[in-house]
Amino acid sequence: MNRLLESVKSNQLNKYLLFAVYFIVNLLFLTKYGIRQSFVPLSVLVAAFFVANLFLFSFGKWPPLKKIWTVKLVYILIVCISIAYIALCHVMKDPYKMNIDRWQTLEFSLEYWFKGKYIYDTPNFMGNLSSYLPGQLLLSSVFYFLGNVGYLQVGAFLLFSYTIMLEFKSNLVRFTAILMLGVSLAYIYDVVCKSDFISSFIAVAAFMLFWSSRFRQDYFQKPILLGICVGVLCLTRSVVIIPLIIFLLRPFWNTGWEKKIKFGFSFLLTVSLLLATVLLPAKNLDHLKQYNPLTLQGQSNKLVMLFFIVLAIIASFYAKKIETVFYFSAYISFLVMVSFLGEQYFTLGVSYQNNFFSTTYLAACLPFSIIGYCYTKQKIVG
């Protein structure tokens, strides 16, 4: 186990593994949805995808191009992708016909939440129940009032870009990170379908980058604020506890008792208040047990999930640098979703083209793999 965890610190190994994770996630999206169209043969799409990713992987290796990597070019890229994303938010004229329910589930969940109604017992137009945790509802509420929940993905992209600009000083690395997310098929799918899935993990990754750059010497300089932030983020998606454990457990262990108590109190208070807003409207306790977000968001066997939580706890004490935190977060998040995918294949069969959620869930590791990969490039560039 020690050798395995220590090997994660290898820069060259991580460079290939993290890009492989990014590549696999997007390739699965390409094959899953590419097979549903008849305009371009899937083999041609896959070949073009390989070439494009080879080009993306080899960024910065051509000396003649070094002069073009300016901060102006990075900002142009951010603006262009943002405009494209805003346009993509309006691609679906009639999403009901496409059997895509994420946008509608988020909209009625927010509407019910604002009115104090119970969310988790009402099916959407496809008959699926909402599993939104209050942290995600809180983060999404701004875009609901803007009139289009799809703008959440645009906001998440801008947040990602901001933290990348803050953390990395090389314009080549900045350009690479922003482009990798911008052209990611998994994220483009989220934008078009107004799905908020990847945005939850972008919020966590951005928080980790921002907090580490702001409080590099001591993550618990502001324990109350940290507790509030972590409380909100923990209630976005259940799997986000994996990267948050890796990021904060070792610093929490090493900090003083006063800061631990302040952090713990603010964290528990935040979680309690947010959960109260979605659970108190339940009719009774039996109704709550039958319809609750923790059950609906259970994506993997409990013992398997417990194993990965223990693995995250162990990894936290090996992750002494922020880049190592992202390496572990990418790998473990990916493996969590692969385990869920394995369960789905075992129960539903290997035809994942008909399994909507499996491929989508794999994209949870996307922000961590991109940022981790860029840390490996930063060491090379630097």
Side-chain angles (χ1 to χ4, degrees), residues 30-38 352-356:
L30 176 67
T31 55
K32 179 175 180 178
Y33 297 103
I35 204 171
R36 299 182 182 182
Q37 54 84 42
S38 56
Y352 66 83
Q353 281 81 6
N354 296 320
N355 186 355
F356 172 79

Side-chain angles (χ1 to χ4, degrees), residues 58-217:
S58 59
F59 256 6
K61 292 185 177 181
W62 302 309
L65 294 179
K66 287 186 177 180
K67 294 182 180 180
I68 72 169
W69 307 119
T70 63
V71 69
K72 182 179 179 180
L73 183 65
V74 177
Y75 283 122
I76 290 173
L77 178 67
I78 294 172
V79 171
C80 289
I81 293 176
S82 299
I83 293 172
Y85 278 177
I86 292 172
L88 288 173
C89 287
H90 299 276
V91 165
M92 287 197 304
K93 300 299 182 183
D94 190 358
Y96 290 97
K97 291 183 179 179
M98 299 183 68
N99 288 332
I100 296 172
D101 63 352
R102 284 179 174 261
W103 65 274
Q104 197 248 0
T105 307
L106 179 57
E107 283 192 348
F108 90 72
S109 296
L110 284 166
E111 185 178 340
Y112 276 34
W113 189 49
F114 294 142
K115 294 180 179 179
K117 296 181 180 180
Y118 195 64
I119 299 169
Y120 305 109
D121 58 353
T122 304
N124 59 29
F125 74 95
M126 289 181 63
N128 298 319
L129 296 173
S130 172
S131 62
Y132 281 104
L133 292 169
Q136 185 64 21
L137 294 176
L138 182 63
L139 296 179
S140 304
S141 59
V142 175
F143 304 95
Y144 174 81
F145 288 117
L146 288 176
N148 191 327
V149 292
Y151 293 153
L152 172 62
Q153 282 60 254
V154 183
F157 169 75
L158 291 174
L159 176 64
F160 178 85
S161 301
Y162 169 74
T163 51
I164 289 296
M165 297 293 289
L166 193 68
E167 175 67 13
F168 298 102
K169 305 309 175 187
S170 165
N171 289 320
L172 169 60
V173 174
R174 291 169 168 176
F175 190 92
T176 301
I178 293 165
L179 183 64
M180 285 179 72
L181 180 64
V183 300
S184 168
L185 298 179
Y187 198 63
I188 291 172
Y189 174 86
D190 266 19
V191 174
V192 173
C193 298
K194 302 179 183 179
S195 169
D196 63 295
F197 182 74
I198 301 176
S199 64
S200 304
F201 298 94
I202 289 177
V204 173
F207 166 76
M208 289 161 58
L209 273 184
F210 175 80
W211 201 266
S212 67
S213 65
R214 184 72 174 81
F215 305 104
R216 202 172 295 274
Q217 300 303 318

Side-chain angles (χ1 to χ4, degrees), residues 27 60 110 165 173 215 235 299 313 374 376:
L27 179 62
L110 284 166
M165 297 293 289
V173 174
F215 305 104
L235 292 179
Q299 295 150 347
I313 291 171
C374 287
T376 67

Side-chain angles (χ1 to χ4, degrees), residues 247-314:
F247 178 56
L248 287 173
L249 182 59
R250 189 180 66 85
F252 176 79
W253 182 270
N254 292 331
T255 197
W257 277 106
E258 183 181 352
K259 291 180 179 179
K260 285 179 181 177
I261 292 170
K262 288 181 178 179
F263 169 81
F265 176 77
S266 61
F267 171 78
L268 291 174
L269 182 62
T270 301
V271 169
S272 300
L273 290 174
L274 284 174
L275 284 177
T277 64
V278 293
L279 299 182
L280 287 180
K283 297 176 183 178
N284 50 55
L285 190 58
D286 290 334
H287 193 74
L288 180 61
K289 289 179 180 178
Q290 185 176 1
Y291 302 102
N292 70 82
L294 298 180
T295 300
L296 294 169
Q297 279 212 10
Q299 295 150 347
S300 186
N301 182 285
K302 289 181 175 59
L303 289 176
V304 174
M305 193 63 191
L306 179 61
F307 166 78
F308 284 114
I309 290 175
V310 172
L311 186 59
I313 291 171
I314 296 171

